[in-house]
Amino acid sequence: FIFTNTSTNAIGAMQYNWIFGDGSIATTRDARHIYSQAGVYDVKMIVSSNTICMDSSLVRVTIYQNAIADFTVKPTCINLPVEYTNLTMDTMNSTVHYIWDLGNGQTSTVRNPSTQIFAVPGNYKVSLSVNTDQCPTPLNVLNRTLVIDKPKPGINYSVKFAVENYPLVLQARNFGETAIWSPGISLDTRNSYTPTFNGVEDQTYTIRIETASGCITVDTQAVKTVKQSDVYVPTAFTPNGDGMNDYLRPIFMGIKELRYFRVFNRWGQLVYDKRTEEPGWDGTVGGSPQGSQVVVWMIEGIGLDNRIITKKGYSTLVR
Protein backbone atom coordinates (compact mmCIF):
# COMPACT_ATOMS: atom_id res chain seq x y z
CA PHE A 1 0.00 0.00 0.00
CA ILE A 2 1.26 3.50 -0.90
CA PHE A 3 0.16 6.32 1.39
CA THR A 4 0.53 9.79 -0.20
CA ASN A 5 0.98 12.71 2.18
CA THR A 6 -0.69 16.01 1.14
CA SER A 7 -0.07 17.89 4.40
CA THR A 8 0.98 21.57 4.23
CA ASN A 9 2.15 24.26 6.65
CA ALA A 10 3.15 27.94 6.48
CA ILE A 11 6.46 28.00 8.31
CA GLY A 12 9.14 25.46 9.24
CA ALA A 13 10.23 22.00 8.24
CA MET A 14 7.68 19.27 8.80
CA GLN A 15 8.16 16.01 10.70
CA TYR A 16 6.01 12.93 10.13
CA ASN A 17 5.01 9.94 12.19
CA TRP A 18 3.00 7.12 10.58
CA ILE A 19 1.20 4.56 12.75
CA PHE A 20 -0.08 1.71 10.55
CA GLY A 21 -2.28 -0.09 13.09
CA ASP A 22 -0.35 -3.39 13.07
CA GLY A 23 2.51 -2.27 15.32
CA SER A 24 4.59 -0.78 12.49
CA ILE A 25 5.61 2.89 12.14
CA ALA A 26 7.39 5.13 9.62
CA THR A 27 8.79 8.71 9.62
CA THR A 28 8.98 9.46 5.88
CA ARG A 29 6.73 12.00 4.16
CA ASP A 30 5.06 9.36 1.97
CA ALA A 31 4.85 5.81 3.18
CA ARG A 32 4.83 2.32 1.70
CA HIS A 33 3.61 -0.57 3.86
CA ILE A 34 2.82 -4.26 3.43
CA TYR A 35 0.30 -5.94 5.72
CA SER A 36 0.95 -9.61 6.51
CA GLN A 37 -2.50 -10.33 7.92
CA ALA A 38 -5.96 -9.59 6.59
CA GLY A 39 -8.14 -7.31 8.67
CA VAL A 40 -9.31 -3.72 9.23
CA TYR A 41 -6.63 -1.23 10.32
CA ASP A 42 -6.77 2.43 11.42
CA VAL A 43 -3.79 4.26 9.90
CA LYS A 44 -2.82 7.49 11.63
CA MET A 45 -0.41 10.15 10.31
CA ILE A 46 0.84 12.84 12.74
CA VAL A 47 2.57 15.93 11.32
CA SER A 48 4.39 18.68 13.27
CA SER A 49 6.65 21.67 12.61
CA ASN A 50 7.57 22.34 16.25
CA THR A 51 6.77 21.01 19.70
CA ILE A 52 3.45 22.82 20.00
CA CYS A 53 2.11 22.88 16.41
CA MET A 54 0.94 19.50 15.19
CA ASP A 55 -2.03 17.89 13.48
CA SER A 56 -3.12 14.35 12.59
CA SER A 57 -5.19 12.54 10.00
CA LEU A 58 -6.85 9.12 10.26
CA VAL A 59 -7.87 6.72 7.52
CA ARG A 60 -9.30 3.18 7.80
CA VAL A 61 -8.03 0.52 5.41
CA THR A 62 -9.37 -2.99 4.81
CA ILE A 63 -6.89 -5.72 3.95
CA TYR A 64 -8.62 -8.66 2.24
CA GLN A 65 -7.51 -12.25 2.50
CA ASN A 66 -6.06 -13.89 -0.60
CA ALA A 67 -8.24 -16.79 -1.72
CA ILE A 68 -6.56 -20.15 -1.04
CA ALA A 69 -7.89 -23.08 -3.08
CA ASP A 70 -8.80 -26.20 -1.13
CA PHE A 71 -10.90 -29.20 -2.13
CA THR A 72 -11.15 -32.97 -1.82
CA VAL A 73 -12.09 -35.63 -4.33
CA LYS A 74 -12.42 -39.26 -3.26
CA PRO A 75 -11.43 -42.39 -5.21
CA THR A 76 -14.47 -43.49 -7.20
CA CYS A 77 -15.46 -46.56 -9.19
CA ILE A 78 -16.14 -46.36 -12.92
CA ASN A 79 -19.66 -45.28 -13.85
CA LEU A 80 -20.33 -43.86 -10.38
CA PRO A 81 -20.72 -40.12 -9.74
CA VAL A 82 -17.57 -38.30 -8.64
CA GLU A 83 -18.19 -35.66 -5.98
CA TYR A 84 -15.93 -32.61 -5.71
CA THR A 85 -15.97 -31.06 -2.21
CA ASN A 86 -14.88 -27.40 -2.18
CA LEU A 87 -13.20 -26.44 1.09
CA THR A 88 -12.02 -22.97 0.05
CA MET A 89 -12.52 -20.63 3.03
CA ASP A 90 -14.39 -17.32 3.11
CA THR A 91 -12.24 -14.27 2.32
CA MET A 92 -13.85 -11.59 4.55
CA ASN A 93 -17.08 -11.75 2.54
CA SER A 94 -15.42 -10.85 -0.75
CA THR A 95 -16.67 -12.88 -3.69
CA VAL A 96 -14.45 -15.79 -4.67
CA HIS A 97 -14.13 -16.73 -8.33
CA TYR A 98 -13.62 -20.42 -9.18
CA ILE A 99 -12.18 -22.17 -12.22
CA TRP A 100 -12.39 -25.98 -12.11
CA ASP A 101 -10.69 -28.45 -14.41
CA LEU A 102 -12.66 -31.57 -13.54
CA GLY A 103 -10.16 -34.05 -14.99
CA ASN A 104 -12.27 -35.20 -17.95
CA GLY A 105 -12.02 -32.15 -20.18
CA GLN A 106 -14.98 -30.46 -18.45
CA THR A 107 -14.68 -27.14 -16.61
CA SER A 108 -16.85 -25.26 -14.12
CA THR A 109 -16.94 -21.80 -12.54
CA VAL A 110 -19.30 -22.52 -9.62
CA ARG A 111 -18.24 -23.26 -6.06
CA ASN A 112 -19.59 -26.84 -6.11
CA PRO A 113 -19.54 -28.29 -9.63
CA SER A 114 -21.96 -30.97 -10.77
CA THR A 115 -20.97 -34.62 -10.33
CA GLN A 116 -19.06 -36.28 -13.14
CA ILE A 117 -18.95 -39.90 -14.33
CA PHE A 118 -15.80 -41.61 -15.64
CA ALA A 119 -16.11 -44.78 -17.71
CA VAL A 120 -12.38 -45.57 -17.92
CA PRO A 121 -10.23 -46.38 -14.86
CA GLY A 122 -7.03 -44.47 -14.24
CA ASN A 123 -5.54 -41.41 -12.53
CA TYR A 124 -6.94 -38.02 -13.53
CA LYS A 125 -5.62 -34.55 -12.70
CA VAL A 126 -8.21 -32.24 -11.11
CA SER A 127 -7.39 -28.58 -10.46
CA LEU A 128 -9.10 -25.63 -8.77
CA SER A 129 -8.00 -22.01 -9.35
CA VAL A 130 -9.36 -19.17 -7.17
CA ASN A 131 -9.08 -15.41 -6.77
CA THR A 132 -11.21 -12.40 -5.75
CA ASP A 133 -11.93 -8.96 -7.17
CA GLN A 134 -10.01 -7.34 -4.29
CA CYS A 135 -7.07 -9.78 -4.67
CA PRO A 136 -7.05 -10.81 -8.34
CA THR A 137 -3.42 -11.89 -8.23
CA PRO A 138 -1.79 -14.19 -7.60
CA LEU A 139 -4.24 -16.78 -8.92
CA ASN A 140 -4.09 -19.62 -6.37
CA VAL A 141 -4.11 -23.12 -7.90
CA LEU A 142 -4.44 -26.53 -6.24
CA ASN A 143 -4.00 -29.84 -8.10
CA ARG A 144 -5.15 -33.22 -6.84
CA THR A 145 -5.20 -36.71 -8.35
CA LEU A 146 -8.57 -38.40 -8.85
CA VAL A 147 -8.31 -42.19 -8.80
CA ILE A 148 -10.95 -43.98 -10.87
CA ASP A 149 -11.12 -47.65 -9.94
CA LYS A 150 -12.81 -50.65 -11.54
CA PRO A 151 -14.32 -53.73 -9.89
CA LYS A 152 -12.35 -56.95 -9.64
CA PRO A 153 -14.03 -59.84 -11.48
CA GLY A 154 -16.01 -62.17 -9.25
CA ILE A 155 -14.74 -65.71 -8.76
CA ASN A 156 -16.00 -69.04 -7.44
CA TYR A 157 -14.04 -70.25 -4.42
CA SER A 158 -13.08 -73.88 -3.99
CA VAL A 159 -15.81 -75.92 -2.32
CA LYS A 160 -15.46 -76.09 1.45
CA PHE A 161 -16.48 -79.22 3.35
CA ALA A 162 -17.83 -78.88 6.87
CA VAL A 163 -18.60 -81.56 9.41
CA GLU A 164 -22.21 -81.34 10.53
CA ASN A 165 -22.59 -79.16 13.65
CA TYR A 166 -18.87 -78.36 13.83
CA PRO A 167 -17.71 -74.77 13.22
CA LEU A 168 -15.78 -74.04 10.04
CA VAL A 169 -14.20 -70.64 9.39
CA LEU A 170 -14.77 -69.39 5.85
CA GLN A 171 -12.52 -66.86 4.13
CA ALA A 172 -13.44 -64.19 1.58
CA ARG A 173 -10.83 -62.50 -0.57
CA ASN A 174 -9.16 -59.85 1.56
CA PHE A 175 -9.61 -56.58 -0.34
CA GLY A 176 -12.09 -53.75 -0.11
CA GLU A 177 -13.74 -52.19 2.91
CA THR A 178 -16.72 -54.48 3.59
CA ALA A 179 -17.80 -58.04 2.87
CA ILE A 180 -21.46 -59.12 3.16
CA TRP A 181 -22.44 -62.80 2.88
CA SER A 182 -25.85 -63.81 1.57
CA PRO A 183 -27.88 -65.54 2.77
CA GLY A 184 -26.91 -65.44 6.43
CA ILE A 185 -28.04 -69.04 7.04
CA SER A 186 -25.75 -71.04 9.38
CA LEU A 187 -23.28 -68.15 9.74
CA ASP A 188 -22.34 -66.41 12.99
CA THR A 189 -22.24 -63.08 11.11
CA ARG A 190 -22.88 -61.84 7.59
CA ASN A 191 -20.60 -58.80 7.83
CA SER A 192 -17.13 -60.30 7.97
CA TYR A 193 -14.34 -61.54 5.75
CA THR A 194 -14.09 -64.62 7.99
CA PRO A 195 -17.54 -65.76 9.16
CA THR A 196 -17.96 -69.13 10.87
CA PHE A 197 -20.24 -71.76 9.33
CA ASN A 198 -22.03 -74.18 11.63
CA GLY A 199 -24.84 -76.13 10.06
CA VAL A 200 -26.15 -79.48 8.79
CA GLU A 201 -27.18 -78.58 5.23
CA ASP A 202 -25.25 -77.65 2.10
CA GLN A 203 -25.30 -73.94 1.35
CA THR A 204 -24.05 -71.63 -1.42
CA TYR A 205 -23.17 -68.05 -0.48
CA THR A 206 -22.54 -64.90 -2.46
CA ILE A 207 -20.03 -62.47 -0.97
CA ARG A 208 -20.54 -58.80 -1.85
CA ILE A 209 -17.18 -57.06 -1.44
CA GLU A 210 -17.18 -53.27 -1.70
CA THR A 211 -14.07 -51.09 -1.93
CA ALA A 212 -13.56 -47.54 -0.64
CA SER A 213 -14.15 -46.29 -4.17
CA GLY A 214 -17.58 -47.94 -4.33
CA CYS A 215 -16.57 -50.79 -6.64
CA ILE A 216 -18.53 -53.97 -5.97
CA THR A 217 -17.36 -57.54 -6.59
CA VAL A 218 -19.54 -60.60 -6.01
CA ASP A 219 -17.78 -63.89 -5.23
CA THR A 220 -19.35 -67.30 -4.59
CA GLN A 221 -18.59 -69.89 -1.92
CA ALA A 222 -20.21 -73.33 -1.82
CA VAL A 223 -20.20 -75.24 1.48
CA LYS A 224 -21.02 -78.96 1.60
CA THR A 225 -21.62 -80.82 4.84
CA VAL A 226 -20.39 -84.31 5.69
CA LYS A 227 -21.07 -86.64 8.59
CA GLN A 228 -17.43 -86.83 9.65
CA SER A 229 -14.04 -85.47 8.69
CA ASP A 230 -12.14 -87.09 5.84
CA VAL A 231 -9.54 -86.38 3.18
CA TYR A 232 -9.18 -87.62 -0.38
CA VAL A 233 -6.38 -87.49 -2.93
CA PRO A 234 -7.08 -87.85 -6.69
CA THR A 235 -5.91 -91.07 -8.35
CA ALA A 236 -4.33 -89.12 -11.24
CA PHE A 237 -3.25 -85.63 -12.30
CA THR A 238 -2.04 -84.02 -15.54
CA PRO A 239 0.50 -81.20 -14.95
CA ASN A 240 0.42 -79.84 -18.52
CA GLY A 241 -0.35 -76.18 -17.69
CA ASP A 242 -3.90 -76.15 -19.05
CA GLY A 243 -5.28 -74.97 -15.71
CA MET A 244 -7.14 -78.22 -15.08
CA ASN A 245 -5.90 -80.88 -12.67
CA ASP A 246 -2.34 -79.52 -12.86
CA TYR A 247 -1.52 -80.27 -9.23
CA LEU A 248 -1.68 -83.31 -7.00
CA ARG A 249 -3.35 -81.94 -3.91
CA PRO A 250 -5.57 -83.33 -1.14
CA ILE A 251 -9.29 -82.60 -1.00
CA PHE A 252 -10.25 -81.66 2.54
CA MET A 253 -13.60 -82.61 3.97
CA GLY A 254 -13.84 -80.93 7.35
CA ILE A 255 -10.09 -80.81 7.98
CA LYS A 256 -8.84 -78.00 10.22
CA GLU A 257 -5.13 -78.82 10.23
CA LEU A 258 -2.83 -80.62 7.79
CA ARG A 259 0.10 -82.18 9.58
CA TYR A 260 1.81 -83.31 6.39
CA PHE A 261 1.24 -84.28 2.78
CA ARG A 262 4.17 -86.18 1.27
CA VAL A 263 4.73 -87.55 -2.21
CA PHE A 264 7.35 -90.18 -3.17
CA ASN A 265 8.41 -91.03 -6.71
CA ARG A 266 8.74 -94.53 -8.14
CA TRP A 267 12.23 -94.83 -6.66
CA GLY A 268 11.00 -93.98 -3.18
CA GLN A 269 12.51 -90.49 -3.16
CA LEU A 270 10.60 -87.73 -1.35
CA VAL A 271 9.62 -85.18 -4.00
CA TYR A 272 7.03 -83.10 -2.11
CA ASP A 273 6.42 -82.36 1.58
CA LYS A 274 3.99 -79.62 2.61
CA ARG A 275 1.67 -78.69 5.44
CA THR A 276 -0.73 -76.62 3.35
CA GLU A 277 -3.61 -77.68 1.13
CA GLU A 278 -2.44 -75.64 -1.85
CA PRO A 279 -0.88 -75.43 -4.30
CA GLY A 280 0.07 -79.13 -4.26
CA TRP A 281 2.73 -81.00 -6.21
CA ASP A 282 3.21 -79.75 -9.79
CA GLY A 283 5.00 -82.86 -11.06
CA THR A 284 8.50 -81.36 -10.96
CA VAL A 285 11.63 -81.95 -8.93
CA GLY A 286 14.00 -79.02 -8.65
CA GLY A 287 12.12 -77.34 -11.48
CA SER A 288 12.52 -80.35 -13.84
CA PRO A 289 9.30 -82.01 -15.08
CA GLN A 290 9.02 -85.67 -14.14
CA GLY A 291 7.87 -88.31 -16.57
CA SER A 292 4.67 -90.35 -16.37
CA GLN A 293 4.73 -92.63 -13.35
CA VAL A 294 2.84 -93.88 -10.35
CA VAL A 295 3.69 -92.04 -7.13
CA VAL A 296 2.95 -92.83 -3.50
CA TRP A 297 1.44 -90.25 -1.18
CA MET A 298 0.99 -90.12 2.59
CA ILE A 299 -1.15 -87.67 4.50
CA GLU A 300 -2.17 -86.86 8.07
CA GLY A 301 -4.59 -84.23 9.27
CA ILE A 302 -6.90 -83.28 12.13
CA GLY A 303 -10.63 -82.97 11.48
CA LEU A 304 -13.05 -80.40 12.77
CA ASP A 305 -14.34 -83.18 15.02
CA ASN A 306 -10.75 -83.61 16.33
CA ARG A 307 -10.33 -87.00 14.64
CA ILE A 308 -6.77 -87.74 13.48
CA ILE A 309 -6.91 -89.01 9.91
CA THR A 310 -3.92 -90.84 8.42
CA LYS A 311 -3.98 -92.22 4.88
CA LYS A 312 -1.68 -93.37 2.08
CA GLY A 313 -2.28 -94.33 -1.50
CA TYR A 314 -1.22 -94.13 -5.14
CA SER A 315 -1.70 -91.52 -7.87
CA THR A 316 -0.66 -91.51 -11.49
CA LEU A 317 1.27 -88.62 -13.05
CA VAL A 318 0.08 -88.48 -16.66
CA ARG A 319 2.14 -86.64 -19.33
Side-chain angles (χ1 to χ4, degrees), residues 19-90:
I19 302 173
F20 295 109
D22 63 349
S24 300
I25 61 174
T27 57
T28 57
R29 175 177 175 83
D30 297 322
R32 182 188 299 265
H33 186 63
I34 296 175
Y35 288 91
S36 61
Q37 298 291 331
V40 178
Y41 299 91
D42 288 330
V43 180
K44 189 175 185 179
M45 188 271 293
I46 303 172
V47 61
S48 63
S49 59
N50 55 56
T51 58
I52 61 173
C53 293
M54 63 180 60
D55 196 9
S56 65
S57 179
L58 187 71
V59 63
R60 175 165 290 175
V61 297
T62 301
I63 309 300
Y64 288 92
Q65 174 67 51
N66 286 317
I68 306 298
D70 191 13
F71 72 94
T72 60
V73 59
K74 296 180 180 179
T76 307
C77 197
I78 57 172
N79 301 320
L80 292 180
V82 176
E83 294 186 359
Y84 306 84
T85 303
N86 194 335
L87 302 175
T88 304
M89 298 184 64
D90 176 67

Side-chain angles (χ1 to χ4, degrees), residues 21-289:
D22 63 349
S24 300
I25 61 174
T27 57
T28 57
R29 175 177 175 83
D30 297 322
R32 182 188 299 265
H33 186 63
I34 296 175
Y35 288 91
S36 61
Q37 298 291 331
V40 178
Y41 299 91
D42 288 330
V43 180
K44 189 175 185 179
M45 188 271 293
I46 303 172
V47 61
S48 63
S49 59
N50 55 56
T51 58
I52 61 173
C53 293
M54 63 180 60
D55 196 9
S56 65
S57 179
L58 187 71
V59 63
R60 175 165 290 175
V61 297
T62 301
I63 309 300
Y64 288 92
Q65 174 67 51
N66 286 317
I68 306 298
D70 191 13
F71 72 94
T72 60
V73 59
K74 296 180 180 179
T76 307
C77 197
I78 57 172
N79 301 320
L80 292 180
V82 176
E83 294 186 359
Y84 306 84
T85 303
N86 194 335
L87 302 175
T88 304
M89 298 184 64
D90 176 67
T91 55
M92 297 177 62
N93 297 317
S94 57
T95 302
V96 180
H97 303 291
Y98 306 97
I99 302 175
W100 288 90
D101 181 341
L102 300 175
N104 58 354
Q106 301 295 315
T107 60
S108 177
T109 57
V110 299
R111 178 175 175 85
N112 295 302
S114 60
T115 57
Q116 303 291 309
I117 292 178
F118 292 72
V120 179
N123 294 336
Y124 295 84
K125 178 182 175 182
V126 178
S127 69
L128 173 61
S129 304
V130 297
N131 69 354
T132 66
D133 291 335
Q134 291 80 7
C135 301
T137 59
L139 191 67
N140 189 263
V141 182
L142 176 64
N143 298 313
R144 294 197 185 279
T145 299
L146 167 62
V147 178
I148 298 297
D149 199 4
K150 68 176 181 179
K152 293 180 182 289
I155 64 173
N156 293 321
Y157 301 163
S158 300
V159 176
K160 293 294 184 181
F161 292 89
V163 179
E164 292 182 0
N165 292 317
Y166 282 89
L168 171 67
V169 177
L170 305 178
Q171 175 68 64
R173 285 194 288 173
N174 192 13
F175 68 90
E177 297 290 310
T178 61
I180 302 176
W181 296 66
S182 296
I185 299 171
S186 301
L187 297 178
D188 64 336
T189 178
R190 296 181 57 205
N191 303 309
S192 172
Y193 284 88
T194 55
T196 299
F197 174 90
N198 195 339
V200 296
E201 295 182 352
D202 297 350
Q203 186 65 54
T204 298
Y205 298 99
T206 59
I207 306 102
R208 184 181 186 272
I209 303 173
E210 183 170 355
T211 67
S213 64
C215 287
I216 296 174
T217 297
V218 178
D219 290 345
T220 303
Q221 173 70 74
V223 179
K224 295 185 178 297
T225 56
V226 294
K227 296 295 183 181
Q228 63 180 18
S229 301
D230 210 340
V231 63
Y232 297 94
V233 178
T235 57
F237 72 113
T238 56
N240 55 11
D242 64 354
M244 300 177 61
N245 202 29
D246 285 332
Y247 295 89
L248 180 64
R249 65 166 64 101
I251 299 173
F252 287 174
M253 303 184 70
I255 300 297
K256 66 180 179 180
E257 179 186 344
L258 177 63
R259 287 185 169 175
Y260 61 80
F261 175 54
R262 297 167 182 157
V263 180
F264 301 85
N265 64 14
R266 53 190 163 188
W267 296 285
Q269 297 171 322
L270 179 66
V271 296
Y272 186 78
D273 186 3
K274 291 291 183 179
R275 291 172 175 78
T276 57
E277 179 182 3
E278 295 184 356
W281 186 46
D282 62 359
T284 67
V285 175
S288 300

